[in-house]
Amino acid sequence: MSFLRIENLSKTYIAVQALKGVSFEVQRGHTHALVGENGAGKSTLIKILSGAERADSGRIWMDGKPYHPHNPKDALDANVSTIYQIFNLMPDRSIMHNMLVGKEPHRGGVLDIQTMRQETHRVLEALNASHLKPEMTVGLLKVGEKQIIEIAKALLNQSQLMIMDEPTSALNQTEVDALFKTIALLKERGVTILYVSHRLEEIFQIADSITVLRDGTHISTRPIHEVTRDSLVEDMIGRKLSSVFPPRAPSNPDAEEVMRVENLSVGRVLHTISFNLRKGEVLAVAGLSGSGKTELGKALYGDLRLSAGKITLKGQPYRPSPWKAIHRQLICLPEDRKADGVIQGLPIRRNITLSVLKQISTAGFLNLKKERQLAGEQIQALEIKTPHMDQEVSNLSGGNQQKVALAKCLAVHPEIFILMEPTQGIDVGVKFEIYQFIADQTTQGRSVLLISSELPEILGLSHRVLVMHEGRIVAELDTSTTTQEEILRYALGEELTITDVRSNKIHE
């Protein structure tokens, strides 16, 4: 018998039908993945299950009983908890005050601190997180530790259904591994988990079953062992895939050198970095969190000051700064699009043209006709989904926000792209569009420095890969002959003695 059963659920917002007769079941004690592109209906379904929204029609059954929460409190009372990407925690209060908020025990009219401490410790211990002490201030915890507190809160509330919305979006690999161990513990306790994520690799790692939504409709629900990556992607985007990655332009070791970096260092984070980038090439940079790969991208664009080293672009000296980079036709797509890639409160057209305002101005005044023309061209070229170019970027999906950030890059007509985590936190359909974008740039003779945590896309898109560990390049590999396992070995620091990385001869 299923633990959660959803029957013909529908929800309409003004002229948009977000859910259209969705039906599926979730088994007790399973990790059930819920996937789909942005706009598929996942968020609406989560809101209905958590009591934040009410369905227009349809029924929900939980543990054999009707379940129709009118508000979040009804959901909590029914032992349903939702853990969102943005944590609902009080940063200036202790762990125990966060976990027991609204349920603080009292003795003789006085707060019973001892019982609070014992209850908090008991739940943390059950999650193998006894290193977290009840008195610790939540604001001082790491992101992964804050997530454990959210899960502990849900466990303390005796939650039987736990909804996790993109739980790994802000976690490093160590924190992701810790989360997966916690999920395994929750399943042992009989907790059912509805797991929403864009990261297909982790879904295959932890899910027991999976449901796909597309355009508000239910497409499929299957055990994970019956699903392949290709079949899952086809269900999500509604079309056949000839291959996950587009064909790469052929590698040409004799191509013009467009960038050379020699002995670059930045404080204590980067040490004697040397490499070159050729015309029409995708050169990837891989490494674990803290390896220095993000700092390398920032240093090359001028967001970090160099301590030592020399950089040349097409044979000419280059001292990094954003305005010099743009002048030299080098552009950077930042890792955090919301903080650095786009300005949420500005319209699409203004975001796209921010980097070229001087070029579309006359006598110091912005030429609105030129601005709209340029923005329109980029919106069409990148197929940005928006009703009009005056739409605020904050109203777009994550994937379309990333397209706006890319359009801003393209507006400067760059010859070299530094792309930092270009597919992070976006749905699979847009992810493939960005893969095609990268392939198109190299076909047109542009060069790409791809900084990514996704090993499949590194192997699928790049010609060479630089592997970083503790601020140093420890390997240079040909992606046509290397493997994920080899890259990981270097990233973990298992093979560090390199006699000739320039010719790919790597020895222990």
Side-chain angles (χ1 to χ4, degrees), residues 273 390 496 504:
I273 301 291
D390 294 314
L496 296 178
N504 292 338

Side-chain angles (χ1 to χ4, degrees), residues 309-325:
K310 183 173 71 172
I311 305 173
T312 56
L313 299 181
K314 293 188 174 181
Q316 299 299 312
Y318 163 68
R319 191 70 181 176
S321 74
W323 73 267
K324 286 181 181 177

